[in-house]
Amino acid sequence: MIEAIIFDMDGTLVDTEPFNTEIERRQFALNKIVISEEDHQKFLGVASDAMWKEIAEQYNLQILVEELIEQNHIESIRYFTGIEEILVMPGLVELLEKLQAKKYPMAVASSSTPEIIDLILNKTDLKKYFQVIASAEQAGKSKPEPDVFLLTAERLGIKPANCLVVEDSSNGIKAAQAAGMTCVAYHSPDADPQKQKEADAVIQNYSQLGIMHF
């Protein structure tokens, strides 16, 4: 029985994946990192620190990983603070209102840093819907490891088996399933349908989630 709903943030609640990709591309150029689009896409849903650690090792970079992580964090804060509008996914607010009215506990489990999560949820006025907000940084390991989802379930006080996760990335889907949770893939504009096949179900819009589960 589903007792709580856990949402990923980027590409699931809000259409921020193109912004994150652009920020990372700028950082690749700044540090003279030549990376293919295919290799870049493998990091969708992965926390920034985990991504830069892997890239630094793979490309034998001379710059410290900590500097790369700090670069990315500063640029992300600057970018999302300055942007005029962050788009919320269509039909999401209506679903959140419905779930809130039915008193379903809701949470966010994101690979973004706590500061970025807070900035985006406040800017889009979505924060008020969630009882728990957790980041991979707080959990200690990034998706596809299940830690952030397990931490979220623990904070909600609900067993993982009774949690439904909404994700868009392959890494997020793997993490949710490794946590023993049901996972629905949200087919966002940037999602690869081939990489969402492992989810328990795929939805094209949030009205479908309401019909399927609530």
Side-chain angles (χ1 to χ4, degrees):
M1 178 181 174
I2 299 301
E3 297 178 9
I5 304 92
I6 303 172
F7 293 86
D8 170 52
M9 185 179 73
D10 297 295
T12 303
L13 294 177
V14 288
D15 190 15
T16 48
E17 291 293 12
F19 301 141
N20 291 327
T21 299
E22 177 59 25
I23 291 166
E24 289 159 5
R25 282 175 179 158
R26 291 182 186 183
Q27 198 171 350
F28 294 151
L30 176 66
N31 292 286
K32 297 180 172 56
I33 301 168
V34 180
I35 182 171
S36 69
E37 187 64 27
E38 182 180 357
D39 284 344
H40 189 188
Q41 289 300 309
K42 291 177 183 177
F43 294 106
L44 275 178
V46 175
S48 175
D49 58 347
M51 182 188 82
W52 288 110
K53 284 175 186 175
E54 187 169 334
I55 288 175
E57 290 175 5
Q58 185 175 342
Y59 291 87
N60 296 313
L61 302 182
Q62 299 304 308
I63 185 171
L64 293 174
V65 173
E66 290 76 13
E67 290 183 40
L68 289 167
I69 295 169
E70 184 64 14
Q71 275 182 8
N72 183 263
H73 182 68
I74 291 171
E75 179 61 16
S76 296
I77 292 288
R78 186 198 66 78
Y79 195 100
F80 286 115
T81 299
I83 201 168
E84 286 189 15
E85 183 181 20
I86 298 172
L87 294 178
V88 174
M89 293 304 188
L92 174 68
V93 172
E94 291 83 352
L95 175 66
L96 296 179
E97 289 281 352
K98 178 180 177 181
L99 294 172
Q100 190 177 64
K102 292 187 175 183
K103 302 190 184 305
Y104 270 100
M106 292 183 284
V108 174
S110 173
S111 291
S112 291
T113 65
E115 293 85 356
I116 295 293
I117 297 169
D118 196 58
L119 193 163
I120 290 174
L121 292 182
N122 279 319
K123 197 157 195 171
T124 53
D125 199 31
L126 293 176
K127 191 174 183 179
K128 62 188 178 185
Y129 295 108
F130 302 106
Q131 287 73 51
V132 170
I133 297 171
S135 74
E137 181 180 300
Q138 295 166 338
K141 289 184 180 179
S142 176
K143 303 170 187 177
E145 298 301 322
D147 299 56
V148 68
F149 288 121
L150 294 174
L151 174 64
T152 304
E154 181 183 340
R155 289 181 176 177
L156 285 168
I158 294 174
K159 294 179 181 178
N162 295 332
C163 294
L164 173 71
V165 171
V166 185
E167 263 285 358
D168 71 309
S169 72
S170 174
N171 287 310
I173 292 166
K174 290 175 182 176
Q177 293 184 329
M181 300 177 180
T182 301
C183 185
V184 171
Y186 175 72
H187 188 65
S188 65
D190 302 291
D192 182 345
Q194 294 300 316
K195 294 180 180 179
Q196 294 187 328
K197 287 183 176 180
E198 294 178 5
D200 296 290
V202 179
I203 59 171
Q204 306 295 323
N205 57 70
Y206 278 109
S207 63
Q208 291 177 304
L209 184 64
I211 292 169
M212 289 167 55
H213 293 278
F214 311 104

Short mmCIF file of all heavy atoms in Angstrom, two decimals, residues 24-41 43 52 54-61 63 68:
data_model
loop_
_atom_site.label_atom_id
_atom_site.label_comp_id
_atom_site.label_asym_id
_atom_site.label_seq_id
_atom_site.Cartn_x
_atom_site.Cartn_y
_atom_site.Cartn_z
N GLU A 24 27.12 22.83 -16.74
CA GLU A 24 28.21 21.85 -16.82
C GLU A 24 29.03 22.02 -18.09
O GLU A 24 30.26 21.91 -18.07
CB GLU A 24 27.63 20.44 -16.72
CG GLU A 24 27.12 20.12 -15.32
CD GLU A 24 26.12 18.98 -15.27
OE1 GLU A 24 25.87 18.34 -16.32
OE2 GLU A 24 25.58 18.72 -14.18
N ARG A 25 28.36 22.32 -19.21
CA ARG A 25 29.09 22.54 -20.46
C ARG A 25 30.04 23.73 -20.34
O ARG A 25 31.17 23.69 -20.84
CB ARG A 25 28.10 22.78 -21.61
CG ARG A 25 27.44 21.51 -22.13
CD ARG A 25 26.39 21.84 -23.16
NE ARG A 25 25.76 20.65 -23.70
CZ ARG A 25 24.57 20.64 -24.29
NH1 ARG A 25 23.88 21.77 -24.41
NH2 ARG A 25 24.05 19.52 -24.74
N ARG A 26 29.58 24.78 -19.70
CA ARG A 26 30.44 25.95 -19.49
C ARG A 26 31.65 25.58 -18.64
O ARG A 26 32.77 26.04 -18.90
CB ARG A 26 29.65 27.06 -18.78
CG ARG A 26 28.56 27.70 -19.62
CD ARG A 26 27.88 28.80 -18.82
NE ARG A 26 26.74 29.36 -19.52
CZ ARG A 26 26.01 30.37 -19.05
NH1 ARG A 26 26.32 30.93 -17.90
NH2 ARG A 26 24.97 30.83 -19.74
N GLN A 27 31.41 24.73 -17.65
CA GLN A 27 32.51 24.33 -16.78
C GLN A 27 33.49 23.40 -17.51
O GLN A 27 34.70 23.47 -17.30
CB GLN A 27 31.96 23.64 -15.53
CG GLN A 27 32.98 23.59 -14.40
CD GLN A 27 32.37 23.12 -13.09
OE1 GLN A 27 31.15 23.00 -12.97
NE2 GLN A 27 33.21 22.84 -12.12
N PHE A 28 32.97 22.55 -18.38
CA PHE A 28 33.85 21.72 -19.20
C PHE A 28 34.77 22.60 -20.04
O PHE A 28 35.98 22.37 -20.12
CB PHE A 28 33.04 20.81 -20.13
CG PHE A 28 32.22 19.76 -19.44
CD1 PHE A 28 31.05 19.29 -20.01
CD2 PHE A 28 32.61 19.22 -18.22
CE1 PHE A 28 30.29 18.32 -19.39
CE2 PHE A 28 31.86 18.25 -17.58
CZ PHE A 28 30.69 17.80 -18.17
N ALA A 29 34.19 23.62 -20.68
CA ALA A 29 34.97 24.52 -21.53
C ALA A 29 36.01 25.28 -20.71
O ALA A 29 37.16 25.43 -21.13
CB ALA A 29 34.03 25.49 -22.24
N LEU A 30 35.60 25.77 -19.54
CA LEU A 30 36.50 26.52 -18.67
C LEU A 30 37.72 25.70 -18.28
O LEU A 30 38.84 26.21 -18.23
CB LEU A 30 35.75 26.96 -17.41
CG LEU A 30 36.56 27.70 -16.34
CD1 LEU A 30 37.03 29.06 -16.87
CD2 LEU A 30 35.73 27.88 -15.08
N ASN A 31 37.50 24.40 -18.05
CA ASN A 31 38.58 23.53 -17.60
C ASN A 31 39.18 22.67 -18.72
O ASN A 31 39.92 21.74 -18.45
CB ASN A 31 38.07 22.63 -16.47
CG ASN A 31 37.76 23.42 -15.21
OD1 ASN A 31 38.65 23.85 -14.50
ND2 ASN A 31 36.47 23.63 -14.94
N LYS A 32 38.80 23.03 -19.98
CA LYS A 32 39.33 22.36 -21.17
C LYS A 32 39.10 20.84 -21.12
O LYS A 32 39.98 20.04 -21.44
CB LYS A 32 40.83 22.67 -21.34
CG LYS A 32 41.11 24.15 -21.57
CD LYS A 32 42.59 24.42 -21.73
CE LYS A 32 42.86 25.86 -22.15
NZ LYS A 32 42.28 26.87 -21.23
N ILE A 33 37.89 20.48 -20.72
CA ILE A 33 37.49 19.07 -20.68
C ILE A 33 36.68 18.77 -21.94
O ILE A 33 35.65 19.41 -22.19
CB ILE A 33 36.64 18.76 -19.43
CG1 ILE A 33 37.42 19.10 -18.16
CG2 ILE A 33 36.19 17.30 -19.42
CD1 ILE A 33 36.56 19.11 -16.90
N VAL A 34 37.14 17.82 -22.73
CA VAL A 34 36.41 17.42 -23.94
C VAL A 34 35.66 16.13 -23.63
O VAL A 34 36.26 15.07 -23.43
CB VAL A 34 37.37 17.20 -25.13
CG1 VAL A 34 36.58 16.78 -26.36
CG2 VAL A 34 38.17 18.47 -25.40
N ILE A 35 34.34 16.23 -23.56
CA ILE A 35 33.52 15.08 -23.19
C ILE A 35 32.38 14.95 -24.20
O ILE A 35 31.78 15.95 -24.61
CB ILE A 35 32.98 15.25 -21.75
CG1 ILE A 35 32.15 14.02 -21.33
CG2 ILE A 35 32.19 16.52 -21.58
CD1 ILE A 35 31.78 14.02 -19.85
N SER A 36 32.09 13.74 -24.61
CA SER A 36 31.03 13.53 -25.60
C SER A 36 29.66 13.75 -24.96
O SER A 36 29.50 13.65 -23.73
CB SER A 36 31.11 12.11 -26.17
OG SER A 36 30.74 11.16 -25.18
N GLU A 37 28.68 14.05 -25.79
CA GLU A 37 27.31 14.24 -25.30
C GLU A 37 26.80 12.96 -24.64
O GLU A 37 26.12 13.00 -23.61
CB GLU A 37 26.39 14.64 -26.45
CG GLU A 37 24.99 15.03 -26.04
CD GLU A 37 24.95 16.29 -25.18
OE1 GLU A 37 25.86 17.13 -25.29
OE2 GLU A 37 24.02 16.41 -24.37
N GLU A 38 27.16 11.83 -25.22
CA GLU A 38 26.73 10.54 -24.68
C GLU A 38 27.28 10.32 -23.27
O GLU A 38 26.56 9.91 -22.36
CB GLU A 38 27.18 9.40 -25.60
CG GLU A 38 26.72 8.02 -25.12
CD GLU A 38 27.19 6.91 -26.04
OE1 GLU A 38 27.81 7.20 -27.08
OE2 GLU A 38 26.93 5.73 -25.71
N ASP A 39 28.57 10.62 -23.09
CA ASP A 39 29.18 10.45 -21.77
C ASP A 39 28.61 11.45 -20.77
O ASP A 39 28.42 11.13 -19.59
CB ASP A 39 30.70 10.62 -21.86
CG ASP A 39 31.38 9.40 -22.46
OD1 ASP A 39 30.74 8.33 -22.52
OD2 ASP A 39 32.55 9.51 -22.86
N HIS A 40 28.31 12.66 -21.25
CA HIS A 40 27.73 13.67 -20.38
C HIS A 40 26.36 13.22 -19.88
O HIS A 40 26.03 13.37 -18.70
CB HIS A 40 27.61 15.00 -21.13
CG HIS A 40 27.23 16.15 -20.27
ND1 HIS A 40 26.92 17.39 -20.78
CD2 HIS A 40 27.09 16.27 -18.92
CE1 HIS A 40 26.62 18.21 -19.80
NE2 HIS A 40 26.71 17.56 -18.66
N GLN A 41 25.56 12.64 -20.76
CA GLN A 41 24.21 12.22 -20.41
C GLN A 41 24.19 11.11 -19.35
O GLN A 41 23.20 10.95 -18.64
CB GLN A 41 23.46 11.76 -21.66
CG GLN A 41 23.09 12.88 -22.62
CD GLN A 41 22.19 13.92 -21.98
OE1 GLN A 41 21.16 13.59 -21.40
NE2 GLN A 41 22.56 15.18 -22.09
N PHE A 43 25.52 11.12 -16.66
CA PHE A 43 25.53 11.70 -15.32
C PHE A 43 24.19 12.33 -14.93
O PHE A 43 24.09 12.94 -13.86
CB PHE A 43 26.65 12.74 -15.21
CG PHE A 43 28.02 12.14 -15.31
CD1 PHE A 43 28.79 12.30 -16.45
CD2 PHE A 43 28.54 11.40 -14.26
CE1 PHE A 43 30.05 11.74 -16.55
CE2 PHE A 43 29.82 10.84 -14.34
CZ PHE A 43 30.57 11.01 -15.49
N TRP A 52 31.80 14.97 -10.65
CA TRP A 52 33.12 15.59 -10.85
C TRP A 52 34.25 14.68 -10.39
O TRP A 52 35.35 14.70 -10.96
CB TRP A 52 33.18 16.95 -10.17
CG TRP A 52 32.34 17.96 -10.91
CD1 TRP A 52 31.17 18.52 -10.49
CD2 TRP A 52 32.58 18.47 -12.22
NE1 TRP A 52 30.67 19.36 -11.46
CE2 TRP A 52 31.51 19.35 -12.53
CE3 TRP A 52 33.58 18.28 -13.16
CZ2 TRP A 52 31.42 20.03 -13.74
CZ3 TRP A 52 33.50 18.97 -14.38
CH2 TRP A 52 32.44 19.83 -14.65
N GLU A 54 34.27 11.42 -10.70
CA GLU A 54 34.44 10.44 -11.77
C GLU A 54 35.10 11.07 -12.99
O GLU A 54 35.99 10.48 -13.61
CB GLU A 54 33.09 9.83 -12.16
CG GLU A 54 33.23 8.69 -13.14
CD GLU A 54 31.95 7.91 -13.33
OE1 GLU A 54 31.11 7.88 -12.41
OE2 GLU A 54 31.79 7.31 -14.42
N ILE A 55 34.69 12.29 -13.34
CA ILE A 55 35.28 12.97 -14.49
C ILE A 55 36.75 13.27 -14.25
O ILE A 55 37.60 13.09 -15.14
CB ILE A 55 34.49 14.26 -14.81
CG1 ILE A 55 33.13 13.90 -15.42
CG2 ILE A 55 35.28 15.16 -15.77
CD1 ILE A 55 32.22 15.08 -15.67
N ALA A 56 37.08 13.72 -13.04
CA ALA A 56 38.48 14.03 -12.72
C ALA A 56 39.36 12.80 -12.86
O ALA A 56 40.49 12.87 -13.36
CB ALA A 56 38.57 14.60 -11.30
N GLU A 57 38.85 11.65 -12.42
CA GLU A 57 39.61 10.40 -12.53
C GLU A 57 39.71 9.95 -13.98
O GLU A 57 40.78 9.56 -14.46
CB GLU A 57 38.94 9.31 -11.69
CG GLU A 57 39.04 9.53 -10.19
CD GLU A 57 38.26 8.50 -9.40
OE1 GLU A 57 37.71 7.56 -10.02
OE2 GLU A 57 38.19 8.63 -8.16
N GLN A 58 38.60 10.02 -14.69
CA GLN A 58 38.55 9.53 -16.07
C GLN A 58 39.44 10.35 -17.00
O GLN A 58 40.07 9.81 -17.92
CB GLN A 58 37.10 9.56 -16.57
CG GLN A 58 36.91 8.96 -17.96
CD GLN A 58 35.44 8.92 -18.35
OE1 GLN A 58 34.56 9.01 -17.51
NE2 GLN A 58 35.18 8.78 -19.63
N TYR A 59 39.51 11.67 -16.76
CA TYR A 59 40.25 12.56 -17.67
C TYR A 59 41.59 13.02 -17.08
O TYR A 59 42.24 13.88 -17.67
CB TYR A 59 39.38 13.76 -18.04
CG TYR A 59 38.20 13.38 -18.91
CD1 TYR A 59 37.00 12.96 -18.34
CD2 TYR A 59 38.30 13.39 -20.29
CE1 TYR A 59 35.92 12.59 -19.13
CE2 TYR A 59 37.23 13.02 -21.10
CZ TYR A 59 36.04 12.62 -20.51
OH TYR A 59 34.98 12.24 -21.30
N ASN A 60 41.98 12.43 -15.95
CA ASN A 60 43.27 12.75 -15.32
C ASN A 60 43.47 14.26 -15.16
O ASN A 60 44.51 14.82 -15.54
CB ASN A 60 44.42 12.16 -16.13
CG ASN A 60 44.39 10.65 -16.17
OD1 ASN A 60 44.21 10.01 -15.13
ND2 ASN A 60 44.53 10.07 -17.35
N LEU A 61 42.48 14.93 -14.61
CA LEU A 61 42.54 16.38 -14.47
C LEU A 61 43.52 16.79 -13.38
O LEU A 61 43.65 16.12 -12.36
CB LEU A 61 41.14 16.93 -14.15
CG LEU A 61 40.04 16.61 -15.16
CD1 LEU A 61 38.73 17.26 -14.72
CD2 LEU A 61 40.42 17.09 -16.56
N ILE A 63 43.33 19.82 -11.86
CA ILE A 63 42.60 20.61 -10.88
C ILE A 63 42.00 19.70 -9.81
O ILE A 63 41.58 18.56 -10.09
CB ILE A 63 41.48 21.45 -11.57
CG1 ILE A 63 40.81 22.38 -10.56
CG2 ILE A 63 40.47 20.56 -12.26
CD1 ILE A 63 39.86 23.38 -11.21
N LEU A 68 36.54 21.77 -8.52
CA LEU A 68 35.52 21.56 -9.55
C LEU A 68 34.12 21.60 -8.93
O LEU A 68 33.20 22.20 -9.48
CB LEU A 68 35.74 20.21 -10.24
CG LEU A 68 36.95 20.11 -11.16
CD1 LEU A 68 37.22 18.66 -11.52
CD2 LEU A 68 36.75 20.94 -12.43
#
